[in-house]
């Protein structure tokens, strides 16, 4: 069964002086968030950016994929903590994403965890959608 999730943004003004508000239509789980060019290219100052939203999507998707892969291999994780750092360079765009994961996985050694994390990095749906971006990974057991 397919699932579609939706969000929308209302932007007012020019790129450099304007501002917008991002709304999370499907769930309403996140309050509307302000976004500006400055929050994207300079300092966040309490506002979000497309890159922060991608980081949230990627870290959660990767965690789900890794959890599933570990479980299917017979070593379900107790805990996974994943961060995603999305780098944006004005004039160039998104130049890379670095995933960092630390896991507690009883019965699994470091090499097995790293292999499972590499597989999740390549195969999670968000990674698949971002194939044109250089995605790197640091994985370690807690």
């Amino acid at each position: 069964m397919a699932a579609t999730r939706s969000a929308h943004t209302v932007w007012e003004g020019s790129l450099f002086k304007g501002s917008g508000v991002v709304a999370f239509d499907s769930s309403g789980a996140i309050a509307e968030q302000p976004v500006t060019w400055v929050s994207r290219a300079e300092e966040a100052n309490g506002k979000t950016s497309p890159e922060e939203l991608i980081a949230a999507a990627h870290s959660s998707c990767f965690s789900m994929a890794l959890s599933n892969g570990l479980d299917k291999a017979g070593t379900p994780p107790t805990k996974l903590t994943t961060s995603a750092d999305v780098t944006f360079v004005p004039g160039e765009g998104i130049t890379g994403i670095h995933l960092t994961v630390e896991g507690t996985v009883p019965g699994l050694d470091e090499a097995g965890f790293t292999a499972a994390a590499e597989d999740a990095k390549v195969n999670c749906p968000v990674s698949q959608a971002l194939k044109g971006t250089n995605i790197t990974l640091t994985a370690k057991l807690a």
Side-chain angles (χ1 to χ4, degrees):
M1 176 165 99
T4 301
R5 301 295 182 253
S6 302
H8 78 273
T9 300
V10 175
W11 186 269
E12 296 178 351
S14 67
L15 174 61
F16 299 113
K17 294 183 181 178
S19 64
V21 177
V22 179
F24 301 85
D25 301 331
S26 300
S27 68
I30 302 170
E32 289 186 346
Q33 296 296 311
V35 61
T36 65
W37 174 255
V38 172
S39 67
R40 183 177 198 182
E42 297 173 25
E43 293 294 323
N45 294 322
K47 297 172 181 68
T48 194
S49 69
E51 291 71 29
E52 184 177 41
L53 298 171
I54 289 170
H58 206 176
S59 66
S60 60
C61 183
F62 171 87
S63 294
M64 288 183 214
L66 179 55
S67 175
N68 187 48
L70 290 167
D71 189 42
K72 284 183 174 180
T75 53
T78 303
K79 182 178 181 179
L80 298 172
T81 303
T82 304
S83 63
D85 298 310
V86 178
T87 302
F88 172 76
V89 177
E92 291 182 44
I94 294 172
T95 58
I97 300 172
H98 185 75
L99 298 169
T100 303
V101 62
E102 182 174 278
T104 303
V105 187
L108 191 63
D109 64 11
E110 199 77 40
F113 183 69
T114 299
E118 285 289 343
D119 183 69
K121 177 191 85 168
V122 171
N123 293 305
C124 89
V126 171
S127 289
Q128 289 291 306
L130 300 171
K131 276 186 178 179
T133 304
N134 182 36
I135 301 170
T136 57
L137 172 69
T138 300
K140 69 176 185 173
L141 290 171

